[in-house]
Amino acid sequence: MPSGIVLKGDRFGSDGGHAVLLAHGGGQTRHAWRSCGAKLGRAGYHAVAIDLRGHGKSDWSPDGDYRVDRFAEDLLAVADTFDRPPVLVGASLGGSSGLLAQGEYALQDRRGFAGLVLVDIAPRIRQEGADKVLGFMAENVDTGFASLQDAADAVARYLPHRPRPKNLDGLAKNLRQKADGRYYWHWDPRFVASSQRSQGDGRTQRMEAAAQSLTVPALLIRGTNSELVDAAAVQRFAELVPHAEIVDIAGAGHMVAGDRNDRFNSTILEFLQSWSSGQGAGASGSG
């Protein structure tokens, strides 16, 4: 990786299937894709879910630099390790990084991706929604939680519409327990500060230019209750990328895969099957 960063990931399916690279949102880990990855693997795809830099078990940026450019560079470097360009499925941060990578950096003699799926992220986003997400992430960044139950309480306050899980094993994968016995989110605390600083750095203009240059198959998935991507943002994306497919998932907020997992997985699979059917032999079946 650039700057010697080592990224950790999980593989699903066999190496012979069409490649899919799964990039999570800010503050998440590769485990956000475990259901999606498993379904893609059963359907014959070769899916790889990674922890982005500063998240999960991947290395932290030595200089605390978590601008979207760094994530975009990482995704292109991972894409280069596949025999064939993968389809990038990116949620929030993973999606904006993938859009920038494909629409801007890939123009600079980089191979890039065979297709791009943006999960509840678009060139234009509602700043109030972004501030809400970053605010939640910043709340317990220094103090952590006394128990997994306390962390679950915080998530429930942030996502009151989502049924509270009885089993906290999934939540535990997004936390790490330190020597003081407290649980902390499994990402570099400097990520929030870096993200907050970069919010006004011409993001919209760069992302719109990147979107306008897209030529690969593209899909935008939006939760109808999204705090970040409203109808106006979807309409603007459709103008910038007229060949893109757009799917609204009812009852889902910004965390689409977590809110409506079955519907989300089916949407991803349908798009990939449509794409791969035009690529010759490869993945088949619905899993």
Side-chain angles (χ1 to χ4, degrees):
M1 291 300 106
S3 304
I5 295 289
V6 176
L7 304 182
K8 299 294 185 180
D10 292 331
R11 293 178 180 271
F12 303 88
S14 63
D15 291 349
H18 283 299
V20 183
L21 178 58
L22 303 168
H24 60 74
Q28 295 183 313
T29 69
R30 68 189 188 279
H31 299 296
W33 300 110
R34 60 187 181 277
S35 174
C36 181
K39 184 163 187 173
L40 294 180
R42 290 194 299 270
Y45 293 91
H46 175 207
V48 175
I50 61 170
D51 283 336
L52 298 177
R53 67 166 58 201
H55 292 71
K57 294 188 176 180
S58 289
D59 287 348
W60 290 7
S61 292
D63 55 1
D65 183 359
Y66 291 104
R67 287 174 294 175
V68 68
D69 300 75
R70 303 290 83 78
F71 294 107
E73 291 163 358
D74 289 348
L75 291 178
L76 287 173
V78 174
D80 286 343
T81 67
F82 289 88
D83 293 336
R84 292 178 291 174
V87 172
L88 187 281
V89 180
S92 198
L93 172 64
S96 57
S97 303
L99 174 58
L100 188 67
Q102 182 64 28
E104 187 172 299
Y105 285 92
L107 298 179
Q108 304 171 13
D109 299 322
R110 296 297 297 271
R111 186 172 66 170
F113 313 116
L116 185 64
V117 180
L118 303 179
V119 183
D120 211 66
I121 196 67
R124 292 189 181 185
I125 59 175
R126 295 181 64 249
Q127 189 57 47
E128 304 95 307
D131 290 342
K132 179 182 178 182
V133 173
L134 290 173
F136 168 73
M137 294 177 65
E139 277 184 2
N140 299 93
V141 67
D142 295 319
T143 59
F145 304 95
S147 65
L148 289 177
Q149 194 64 47
D150 284 350
D153 290 341
V155 173
R157 289 192 295 271
Y158 176 61
L159 301 172
H161 63 282
R162 184 182 294 182
R164 188 185 180 107
K166 296 180 180 179
N167 189 320
L168 300 183
D169 289 347
L171 177 62
K173 293 181 182 295
N174 290 305
L175 295 157
R176 63 185 188 281
Q177 190 174 24
K178 291 188 177 181
D180 61 3
R182 298 183 68 82
Y183 292 85
Y184 297 82
W185 293 119
H186 219 320
W187 40 265
D188 185 348
R190 297 175 297 175
F191 168 71
V192 173
S194 182
S195 297
Q196 289 171 331
R197 286 195 303 269
S198 64
Q199 285 297 301
D201 292 347
R203 177 200 179 277
T204 300
Q205 291 77 12
R206 285 188 72 188
M207 292 297 174
E208 287 198 340
Q212 202 161 23
S213 71
L214 289 180
T215 58
V216 298
L219 167 66
L220 170 62
I221 300 176
R222 180 182 77 105
T224 56
N225 299 332
S226 172
E227 309 98 311
L228 266 71
V229 183
D230 58 17
V234 172
Q235 178 59 38
R236 179 57 177 162
F237 180 78
E239 294 169 357
L240 293 167
V241 193
H243 70 273
E245 298 178 42
I246 297 173
V247 175
D248 279 343
I249 296 187
H254 181 55
M255 313 287 280
V256 182
D259 289 344
R260 295 291 308 278
N261 191 252
D262 288 345
R263 179 75 177 93
F264 173 80
N265 290 346
S266 297
T267 300
I268 295 291
L269 192 56
E270 288 166 10
F271 174 78
L272 291 173
Q273 289 174 332
S274 175
W275 166 78
S276 59
S277 66
Q279 304 296 307
S284 61
S286 58

